[in-house]
Every structure is written in structure tokens, then in C-alpha cells.
Amino acid sequence: MKNRVRELREKREWSQGELGERLAVSRQTVNAIETGKYDPSLPLAFKIGKLFGQRIEALFEFDEETR
Amino acid sequence: MTDQARKRYQIRIMLAIAIYVVVLLGVWPLAKSTADAWLKALYALAPVPPILYVIWLMAQRVLASDELEQRTHLVGLGVAAAAASVFGIVSGFLAAANVLEPDAAAAALIWVFPLMIVAYSIGQLVSARRYGTTPCIEEGMPLALRFLYVVVLFAGLAAYLYYRKHNLDAASTALGMAVGVGVCAVGFSIWRHLRKRSSQQ
């Protein structure tokens, strides 16, 4: 799944650790989400969306090739 | 889990293992020379509380993990369960066919927990790599320091068995374990170094 988490985080000048703290996940989990190696659960995706003031569809894009 | 909490967790695990070894050497052997059944059972089960404490610490650790970490813990647990099952089945069949002496079969059960810990760590390591994250065994206290701790523990055990108990066979086994862990530690460090170098290129 492609996502805009890194772009939005960098826009706010947050480190991965800072974002992790806000989402109550580890820095490594943030990194795995940003690099597309891990697709977050629905509650976590909603939490990310709420934090950045975005709808989930605007944040995550389903990528058929990576399935 | 914060770095502070992670270090605290690792120190507690190391302390519990040290207590386990001390109890195993100092209290557990009394079970063989005690006639009273209750006292015998008490001495025989004396090493269990430190292990229960380790299991409780590990459970707390998993509960404090986030969803991705819990997923890697689940894979580790699956690998550990598979390894323990295979070990149990193999030793059970060998004991049932009298290939293994009953004493050896009983002693083999003591190795189930250490085997599970090793299999758990390997499973979690492989799973964490898949997500491009670091497994919990590589976090907190430097890994080399923890390996050194295990080597010192086994070497101490070998010295105790040789000088105090005059048991050359058991001392050789403990020394072999110390050397084995040391060799694994060096091999693991070389592998990590090479992996780091190749990822930088």
C-alpha cells in the first residue's frame, strides 16, 4: 500500500520518533509504515488520518502490484 | 516501550537468570540427598520461580508492544511452539522406544524452555527483518554485553562444577556451552557487520 505519511510528517517537521509518540507506536513501526513494508490496522490508520486531518483514502492508496 | 523501560526489562531478565543458575547449583542438588518427600519437592522446584518471573516479564513486554511488534512476537511464539513440539515428539518417541534412558528423557524436558527462548528470538528476528525493523533482542543493552554475560555465566558454572563438584563431564559441557555461545556471538556480529555494510553500499 502506498501512503503519504512521510510527506505529511516531514511537512510538520516531526521525526519518526515524535510521530511514533503521538500515535503510541515505536519509531520502527512508523518507518515500516512509511516505507510500505507494513500496512497499519484500521484503528491505527484512522488515528494517523485524524492526526494529520486527512481522510484515510487521502492518506493510503491501494497498490495492486504490491499485493 | 521506552529505552529506559527496555533496559530495565533486560536487567531484570539477566538478574532472574543469574538467580536461576545460583538456585540450580545451590538448592536443586539438595533434592537428591533429602529423604523427606515435601522438602525434596520444594528443593526440586526451587528453580521454577525465577523462570515464572521471566515468563511474566516477557508477557508484560509483549503487552506493552505496538501492533507491528506484537505481530513479530506472534511469529516468534509460533516458531518457538513448533520447535518445542518437535523436540517433545522426538524425545518422547525415543524414550518410549527405550532409546533414551528415562533419566535422560526427564532431563531433556529441562531444555524445552531454553530451546523455546532461542527459537522465539530467531522467529522474531526473521519476522522483524521482513518489516525492515529491529527485533527486540537488538534493542536496549548492547547485544555483545548480553552475550558476554551468558558466556561468563556458563564459564562460572564450568568452574564451579570442576573445582567444587569435581565433575569433569558436566564442567566440560558447561565450558562447551560458553565457547558455543561465544562463537555464535562472534558469528552473529560478523553477519550484522556484513549486512550493515551491504545495505550502506
Side-chain angles (χ1 to χ4, degrees), chain B residues 74-84 116 119-120 122-124:
Chain B
L74 185 67
V75 174
L77 192 63
V79 173
M116 283 189 81
Y120 190 96
I122 292 170
Q124 215 230 346

Side-chain angles (χ1 to χ4, degrees), chain B residues 82-164:
Chain B
S85 305
V86 170
F87 183 76
I89 284 175
V90 169
S91 50
F93 277 128
L94 289 176
N98 291 326
V99 177
L100 270 183
E101 297 283 326
D103 272 0
L109 290 175
I110 295 171
W111 289 97
V112 170
F113 186 67
L115 172 77
M116 283 189 81
I117 296 292
V118 171
Y120 190 96
S121 303
I122 292 170
Q124 215 230 346
L125 183 103
V126 172
S127 176
R129 291 259 166 273
R130 209 180 130 218
Y131 295 110
T133 65
T134 315
C136 63
I137 58 159
E138 286 188 38
E139 295 167 351
M141 207 174 284
L143 204 56
L145 202 67
R146 281 179 278 158
F147 270 124
L148 183 69
Y149 174 79
V150 178
V151 170
V152 167
L153 215 60
F154 275 122
L157 179 65
Y160 173 85
L161 290 167
Y162 184 74
Y163 290 111
R164 284 292 182 92

Side-chain angles (χ1 to χ4, degrees), chain B residues 15-103:
Chain B
L15 273 176
I17 291 170
I19 290 169
Y20 171 76
V21 171
V22 168
V23 171
L24 199 65
L25 294 176
V27 183
W28 188 80
L30 298 173
K32 288 189 173 174
S33 56
T34 306
D36 183 67
W38 285 104
L39 208 56
K40 207 177 176 71
L42 195 70
Y43 288 146
L45 296 176
V48 174
I51 294 299
L52 290 179
Y53 180 60
V54 168
I55 292 170
W56 182 79
L57 283 175
M58 288 170 75
Q60 295 300 310
R61 170 85 204 248
V62 173
L63 289 172
S65 303
D66 66 36
E67 58 181 54
L68 176 56
E69 290 168 331
Q70 285 190 353
R71 187 178 282 209
T72 63
H73 281 301
L74 185 67
V75 174
L77 192 63
V79 173
S85 305
V86 170
F87 183 76
I89 284 175
V90 169
S91 50
F93 277 128
L94 289 176
N98 291 326
V99 177
L100 270 183
E101 297 283 326
D103 272 0

